[in-house]
Amino acid sequence: MSAPEIRCEQGQRQVFCGLSGIVWLHRKIQDAFFLVVGSRTCAHLLQSAAGVMIFAEPRFATAILQERDLAGLADCNQELDRVAAEVLERRPDIKTLFLVGSCPSEVIKLDLGKAAERLSEVYRDRVRVLDYSASGLETAFTQGEDACLQALLPELPTRAAGERSLLIVGTLPDVVEDQFKRLFDELGIGPVEFLPPRHATEYPSVGNGTLMLLAQPFVGETARALQKRGATLITAPYPFGIEGTRAWLKAATDAWGIPAERLEAVTAPAIARAEKGLARQRELLAGKRICFLPDSQLEIPMARFLQRECGMELVEVATPFLDRQLMEAELPLLPPDLHLTEGQDVDRQLDRVRAARPDLTVCGLGLANPLEAEGLRTKWSIELVFTPVHGFDQAADLAELFARPLVRGALLKV
Amino acid sequence: MQLTLWSYEGPPHVGAMRIAASMKGVHLILHAPQGDTYADLLFTMIERRASRPPVSYTSFQARDLGRDTAELFKTTVEATYERFKPELILIGESCTAELIQDQPGALAQGMGLPVPVLPLELPAYTRKENWGANETFYQMVRGLLKSRVPAPGTERELRAQGTRPKANLLGPTALGYRCRDDILEVTRLLDSIGIDVNLVAPLGATPADLLRIPEADFNVCLYPEVADQACDWLRRSFGQPVVKTVPIGIGATREFLQEAARAAGIEVDTTREPISSRMPWYSRSVDSTYLTGKRVFIFGDATHAVAAARIAAEELGFTVVGLGTYAREFAREVREAAKRYGVEPLITDDYLEVEAKVAELHPELVLGTQMERHIAKRLGVPCAVISAPVHIQDFPSRYAPQMGFEGANVIFDTWVHPLMMGLEEHLVTMFREDFEFHDGATPSHLGPTTARMSQAPDSPPEPTETAVVADGAMVWAPEAEQELKKIPFFVRGKAKRNTERFAEERGIQTITVETLYDAKAHFGR
């Protein structure tokens, strides 16, 4: 099968920086604290994204650089030690402290790696201090998770040589994690471990017998780093929709040497349920034209699911960053004549959207309401990262996310 | 470095964005890294605007830093002008661009664009959002009008006989707290005494509109945080008087009308209320008696905090126990007000300092920003929002001004709502063991949550106080501790603190039931 041609675009980008990953990562890893070293802008981003929830005790904060830090009047390392001490005094329950780099900290070349080493030594046996960069210079939106997971890798214990295990990489909602665990149990695949873990005390182990399945398409650097530790990457489409989930599981059973009949038998009830649920949504979505603006790197698997399983027509699919290795199994499933874009020049892209007038545009919240006001239905993309959408039992829910704005558009008479 | 859990203001370039987004025909070009477009969401989501803010970003990335970011900036300027054809271009830098020093202002000015280009200095590591808005608005007004300033000594032309006086309403912006409805309310107020509004700026104005500012008889500085520099300059340059009273609260609204009338040179019948408010009667009605002396902590921008303190003390009968602002530029106003209520002013932008102060003061109600809602949740204190920063729920669909007489109505409802209602408060105090209406439960009119109770009902309310117990070698006798729990939740913290202070001053080692009541008699409620 031939994959579609990829066009690259450069210009103004309407995406989040990697810092926004903290908004879901702090919920997933419950005993971790994220300390951003950056400017007031970074702090403002975080609280604009998460601050609508009222926190009794937030698990993230910003060490805002001051003039004297920039002028070299204050020793940034001493300052950082003081701020970290303040955080840990306030939150004695914290087990992992992430120092998160930002654009300003990177431009002034503040060495957070060294700082993390030093602080790890100071708080030995109590708190691990890790660092990663989630600056806009380096990362777009979900790439922040990729960077965070990489920082965790040195903490992962090494598994004995040749000992087989399955490692699922990428944040999954707890409910989905449990579903997958049950499926793998029934298939006879194990031990199965997840990265990131729910608690920083439950790190998965990795060795040359470890097979990796990626649950998210944006953890490429993490996967490559795990390969360096001996793990083997199983290439598969991502577990969205029935087709994607089945292929994803099949890649694991193949690697494990489990016969196809076994996979059929184990997955049949869930697939039957999913087909029933999906049929209702397909009625609403079939024949509708959809456009994806770049946001999370989830665009390609989502588009594949909507086109092949829900009968939608793809107008343009754009992704902020296209990792060819990670999309190897996905690209051939897309229609070969698809307009596939990597990168963004937002104004020109909007011109194309306006000209094509799709039935649904998947975009960020900075663009959604303005497009709605132009009479275009939108689906805000960030929700795809915050909703359980993986696996058989979420296939209909995933389709429903896209059907909902269309249903709503039809319902409202005002 | 400053540890910041929550920050009260964004960076100064967000202030510049607020000015650009308020106006029509103005476009801001920001030299900023990929990701800084998050700020668009403030406008499209929090304020639910139906259009993109008129802001273009260079969105540079790491790979651009090796190349020519200045060239990238110029390309962005060209493309932006071609596409949007604004009447006026603002140039700004975000915090990261400030570090790489491409001098975008000078670059853009050298590009020979056919419209005015105004470079902004927005020092991101020393200044903040309101300063950025204030500076941007001032630079724009000055830039557009400086060539029209009359020669020194020129007399202002007298208003033609029989025409109504006109005022400019300066200061309302996008993302401003309740600006949308305040403008309507103030326009109505002025109309009621025979004054017209010449123009509102920056909200809704074009650069061409700003040229009409001098046509008004005076300026109303509605939001000093945004407009005081511009108003001052207009007074000096065009001799336009500035009405400085901000009409939030009944008393302030009356004073505002007096001041506006003086500025317009008209007589206003002081014996007749031009528009009535229900708030004074609501506050006098016996149902409100239980509000008397409720201890309230107030924090916000200076304008709203000072106005709130006056309303609390003079119009609702609360006791102001704390007053502060995050706006250092307006600290003087807050200090003066704090003196009036006999409290120590709290001037800080450090959220943790505010939290510590609230914990120390044990108020029964917190009036603050979105950030104080976090504090209030942690400490289990009722809270209402009076000032930015705010979130989406405080950009309501309904008419919800803070200013003028209707504003006072809105304020009465909003502030009283989170408090436990009178009957419930009495019964909870009398009967302490009810399984449903117990001490730590959320007031029942607020629904079924138990969020109110961040501390278990029978633990002493403030952990910080136990420190005093330890190092002062002072202990609570078990009976006294039991007795303390019989004091209603919302005043228990204060009672505990007073008793300990009382004991400490008298060198009492063990606090008994007697000590508790002695202290109560000593301090009053």
Side-chain angles (χ1 to χ4, degrees), chain B residues 364 376-382 418-420 424 438-444 446 449-455 488-491:
Chain B
E364 292 164 74
K377 180 181 182 187
R378 178 157 184 262
L379 301 175
V381 186
L419 297 169
M420 189 176 280
E424 191 166 325
H438 59 82
D439 211 14
T442 313
S444 64
L446 297 179
T449 60
T450 50
R452 166 76 178 279
M453 214 37 221
S454 62
Q455 302 103 359
F489 174 77
F490 29 86
V491 286

Short mmCIF file of all heavy atoms in Angstrom, two decimals, chain B residues 364 376-382 418-420 424 438-444 446 449-455 488-491:
data_model
loop_
_atom_site.label_atom_id
_atom_site.label_comp_id
_atom_site.label_asym_id
_atom_site.label_seq_id
_atom_site.Cartn_x
_atom_site.Cartn_y
_atom_site.Cartn_z
N GLU B 364 -14.14 35.22 58.39
CA GLU B 364 -15.33 34.40 58.14
C GLU B 364 -15.71 34.44 56.66
O GLU B 364 -16.55 33.68 56.20
CB GLU B 364 -16.50 34.92 58.98
CG GLU B 364 -16.30 34.69 60.45
CD GLU B 364 -17.23 35.53 61.29
OE1 GLU B 364 -18.43 35.21 61.35
OE2 GLU B 364 -16.77 36.53 61.87
N ALA B 376 -9.13 29.82 50.06
CA ALA B 376 -10.35 29.62 50.84
C ALA B 376 -10.74 28.15 50.87
O ALA B 376 -11.20 27.63 51.89
CB ALA B 376 -11.48 30.47 50.27
N LYS B 377 -10.53 27.46 49.77
CA LYS B 377 -10.85 26.03 49.75
C LYS B 377 -9.96 25.29 50.73
O LYS B 377 -10.42 24.46 51.50
CB LYS B 377 -10.67 25.46 48.34
CG LYS B 377 -10.98 23.97 48.27
CD LYS B 377 -10.78 23.41 46.88
CE LYS B 377 -11.16 21.93 46.85
NZ LYS B 377 -10.83 21.32 45.57
N ARG B 378 -8.67 25.61 50.70
CA ARG B 378 -7.74 24.91 51.57
C ARG B 378 -8.08 25.16 53.03
O ARG B 378 -8.01 24.26 53.85
CB ARG B 378 -6.32 25.39 51.27
CG ARG B 378 -5.27 24.78 52.15
CD ARG B 378 -3.89 24.83 51.51
NE ARG B 378 -2.92 24.14 52.34
CZ ARG B 378 -2.12 24.77 53.18
NH1 ARG B 378 -2.16 26.08 53.27
NH2 ARG B 378 -1.27 24.07 53.92
N LEU B 379 -8.48 26.38 53.35
CA LEU B 379 -8.73 26.73 54.75
C LEU B 379 -10.19 26.56 55.15
O LEU B 379 -10.55 26.77 56.29
CB LEU B 379 -8.28 28.17 55.02
CG LEU B 379 -6.79 28.47 54.74
CD1 LEU B 379 -6.50 29.94 54.93
CD2 LEU B 379 -5.90 27.61 55.65
N GLY B 380 -11.04 26.20 54.18
CA GLY B 380 -12.44 25.99 54.50
C GLY B 380 -13.19 27.26 54.86
O GLY B 380 -14.00 27.29 55.78
N VAL B 381 -12.90 28.34 54.17
CA VAL B 381 -13.56 29.62 54.44
C VAL B 381 -14.42 30.01 53.25
O VAL B 381 -13.99 29.84 52.10
CB VAL B 381 -12.50 30.74 54.68
CG1 VAL B 381 -13.17 32.03 55.09
CG2 VAL B 381 -11.48 30.31 55.70
N PRO B 382 -15.63 30.54 53.47
CA PRO B 382 -16.44 31.01 52.34
C PRO B 382 -15.73 32.13 51.58
O PRO B 382 -14.96 32.88 52.18
CB PRO B 382 -17.72 31.55 52.99
CG PRO B 382 -17.74 30.95 54.34
CD PRO B 382 -16.33 30.69 54.75
N PRO B 418 -22.19 33.02 49.75
CA PRO B 418 -21.39 31.92 50.31
C PRO B 418 -21.50 31.75 51.82
O PRO B 418 -21.07 30.74 52.35
CB PRO B 418 -19.94 32.30 49.92
CG PRO B 418 -19.96 33.72 49.53
CD PRO B 418 -21.35 34.08 49.17
N LEU B 419 -22.07 32.74 52.51
CA LEU B 419 -22.17 32.65 53.97
C LEU B 419 -23.32 31.74 54.38
O LEU B 419 -24.33 31.66 53.67
CB LEU B 419 -22.41 34.04 54.56
CG LEU B 419 -21.30 35.06 54.33
CD1 LEU B 419 -21.78 36.45 54.73
CD2 LEU B 419 -20.06 34.66 55.10
N MET B 420 -23.16 31.09 55.50
CA MET B 420 -24.26 30.27 56.00
C MET B 420 -25.41 31.20 56.34
O MET B 420 -25.22 32.27 56.90
CB MET B 420 -23.80 29.51 57.24
CG MET B 420 -24.79 28.49 57.71
SD MET B 420 -24.17 27.54 59.10
CE MET B 420 -23.12 26.36 58.29
N GLU B 424 -29.80 28.74 59.83
CA GLU B 424 -28.91 27.59 59.89
C GLU B 424 -27.76 27.86 60.85
O GLU B 424 -27.37 27.01 61.64
CB GLU B 424 -28.38 27.29 58.48
CG GLU B 424 -27.66 25.96 58.38
CD GLU B 424 -27.45 25.54 56.93
OE1 GLU B 424 -28.32 25.82 56.09
OE2 GLU B 424 -26.41 24.93 56.65
N HIS B 438 -24.12 19.60 60.39
CA HIS B 438 -23.09 19.74 61.42
C HIS B 438 -22.16 20.88 61.07
O HIS B 438 -22.28 21.54 60.05
CB HIS B 438 -22.37 18.42 61.64
CG HIS B 438 -21.71 17.91 60.40
ND1 HIS B 438 -20.48 18.37 60.01
CD2 HIS B 438 -22.12 17.01 59.47
CE1 HIS B 438 -20.17 17.77 58.87
NE2 HIS B 438 -21.14 16.95 58.52
N ASP B 439 -21.24 21.04 62.00
CA ASP B 439 -20.37 22.18 62.01
C ASP B 439 -19.54 22.39 60.75
O ASP B 439 -19.43 23.48 60.21
CB ASP B 439 -19.42 21.94 63.17
CG ASP B 439 -19.01 23.22 63.78
OD1 ASP B 439 -19.65 24.23 63.48
OD2 ASP B 439 -18.04 23.20 64.52
N GLY B 440 -18.98 21.30 60.27
CA GLY B 440 -18.05 21.46 59.16
C GLY B 440 -18.72 21.34 57.81
O GLY B 440 -18.09 21.52 56.78
N ALA B 441 -20.01 21.02 57.79
CA ALA B 441 -20.69 20.81 56.51
C ALA B 441 -20.80 22.13 55.75
O ALA B 441 -20.84 23.20 56.35
CB ALA B 441 -22.06 20.21 56.73
N THR B 442 -20.85 22.02 54.46
CA THR B 442 -21.08 23.20 53.63
C THR B 442 -22.46 23.76 53.98
O THR B 442 -23.37 23.00 54.22
CB THR B 442 -21.11 22.77 52.15
OG1 THR B 442 -20.00 21.94 51.92
CG2 THR B 442 -21.06 23.96 51.23
N PRO B 443 -22.58 25.09 54.00
CA PRO B 443 -23.92 25.65 54.19
C PRO B 443 -24.92 24.94 53.26
O PRO B 443 -24.62 24.72 52.09
CB PRO B 443 -23.74 27.12 53.81
CG PRO B 443 -22.30 27.41 54.10
CD PRO B 443 -21.57 26.13 53.83
N SER B 444 -26.08 24.56 53.79
CA SER B 444 -26.96 23.65 53.04
C SER B 444 -27.49 24.27 51.75
O SER B 444 -27.82 23.56 50.82
CB SER B 444 -28.11 23.19 53.92
OG SER B 444 -28.91 24.30 54.25
N LEU B 446 -25.81 25.69 49.62
CA LEU B 446 -24.79 25.58 48.57
C LEU B 446 -24.71 24.18 47.98
O LEU B 446 -23.81 23.89 47.20
CB LEU B 446 -23.42 25.99 49.11
CG LEU B 446 -23.30 27.44 49.58
CD1 LEU B 446 -21.92 27.73 50.11
CD2 LEU B 446 -23.64 28.41 48.45
N THR B 449 -22.16 19.17 48.73
CA THR B 449 -20.74 18.86 48.91
C THR B 449 -20.32 19.05 50.35
O THR B 449 -20.95 19.78 51.11
CB THR B 449 -19.86 19.78 48.05
OG1 THR B 449 -20.10 21.11 48.45
CG2 THR B 449 -20.16 19.61 46.59
N THR B 450 -19.24 18.40 50.71
CA THR B 450 -18.67 18.60 52.03
C THR B 450 -17.32 19.28 51.91
O THR B 450 -16.49 19.18 52.78
CB THR B 450 -18.52 17.26 52.77
OG1 THR B 450 -17.85 16.37 51.89
CG2 THR B 450 -19.84 16.69 53.18
N ALA B 451 -17.15 19.95 50.79
CA ALA B 451 -15.86 20.57 50.50
C ALA B 451 -15.44 21.57 51.57
O ALA B 451 -14.26 21.83 51.76
CB ALA B 451 -15.92 21.29 49.16
N ARG B 452 -16.40 22.11 52.26
CA ARG B 452 -16.14 23.12 53.27
C ARG B 452 -15.09 22.65 54.27
O ARG B 452 -14.29 23.40 54.79
CB ARG B 452 -17.48 23.39 53.98
CG ARG B 452 -17.39 24.15 55.26
CD ARG B 452 -17.15 25.62 54.96
NE ARG B 452 -17.12 26.35 56.22
CZ ARG B 452 -18.20 26.72 56.86
NH1 ARG B 452 -19.38 26.48 56.36
NH2 ARG B 452 -18.11 27.38 58.00
N MET B 453 -15.12 21.37 54.55
CA MET B 453 -14.32 20.86 55.64
C MET B 453 -12.97 20.37 55.18
O MET B 453 -12.79 19.22 54.86
CB MET B 453 -15.11 19.72 56.27
CG MET B 453 -14.91 19.63 57.75
SD MET B 453 -14.78 21.27 58.48
CE MET B 453 -13.47 20.92 59.61
N SER B 454 -11.98 21.23 55.18
CA SER B 454 -10.67 20.72 54.83
C SER B 454 -10.00 20.15 56.08
O SER B 454 -9.10 19.35 56.00
CB SER B 454 -9.80 21.80 54.18
OG SER B 454 -9.60 22.83 55.10
N GLN B 455 -10.45 20.59 57.24
CA GLN B 455 -9.99 19.95 58.46
C GLN B 455 -11.15 19.12 59.00
O GLN B 455 -12.29 19.47 58.83
CB GLN B 455 -9.61 20.99 59.51
CG GLN B 455 -8.54 21.97 59.06
CD GLN B 455 -9.12 23.32 58.70
OE1 GLN B 455 -10.33 23.51 58.76
NE2 GLN B 455 -8.26 24.23 58.30
N PRO B 488 -18.88 28.01 67.10
CA PRO B 488 -19.14 27.74 65.68
C PRO B 488 -17.86 27.76 64.86
O PRO B 488 -16.95 28.56 65.12
CB PRO B 488 -20.07 28.88 65.27
CG PRO B 488 -20.69 29.34 66.52
CD PRO B 488 -19.73 29.06 67.62
N PHE B 489 -17.85 26.90 63.87
CA PHE B 489 -16.68 26.69 63.02
C PHE B 489 -16.04 27.98 62.52
O PHE B 489 -14.84 28.18 62.61
CB PHE B 489 -17.11 25.83 61.83
CG PHE B 489 -16.04 25.66 60.81
CD1 PHE B 489 -15.00 24.78 61.03
CD2 PHE B 489 -16.05 26.40 59.64
CE1 PHE B 489 -14.00 24.62 60.09
CE2 PHE B 489 -15.06 26.26 58.70
CZ PHE B 489 -14.03 25.36 58.93
N PHE B 490 -16.89 28.87 61.99
CA PHE B 490 -16.33 30.03 61.29
C PHE B 490 -15.69 31.06 62.21
O PHE B 490 -14.99 31.94 61.76
CB PHE B 490 -17.39 30.70 60.39
CG PHE B 490 -18.79 30.53 60.89
CD1 PHE B 490 -19.32 31.41 61.81
CD2 PHE B 490 -19.55 29.46 60.44
CE1 PHE B 490 -20.60 31.23 62.26
CE2 PHE B 490 -20.84 29.29 60.90
CZ PHE B 490 -21.37 30.18 61.82
N VAL B 491 -15.95 31.01 63.53
CA VAL B 491 -15.27 31.93 64.43
C VAL B 491 -14.33 31.20 65.40
O VAL B 491 -13.66 31.82 66.21
CB VAL B 491 -16.26 32.81 65.24
CG1 VAL B 491 -16.87 33.86 64.34
CG2 VAL B 491 -17.34 31.97 65.88
#
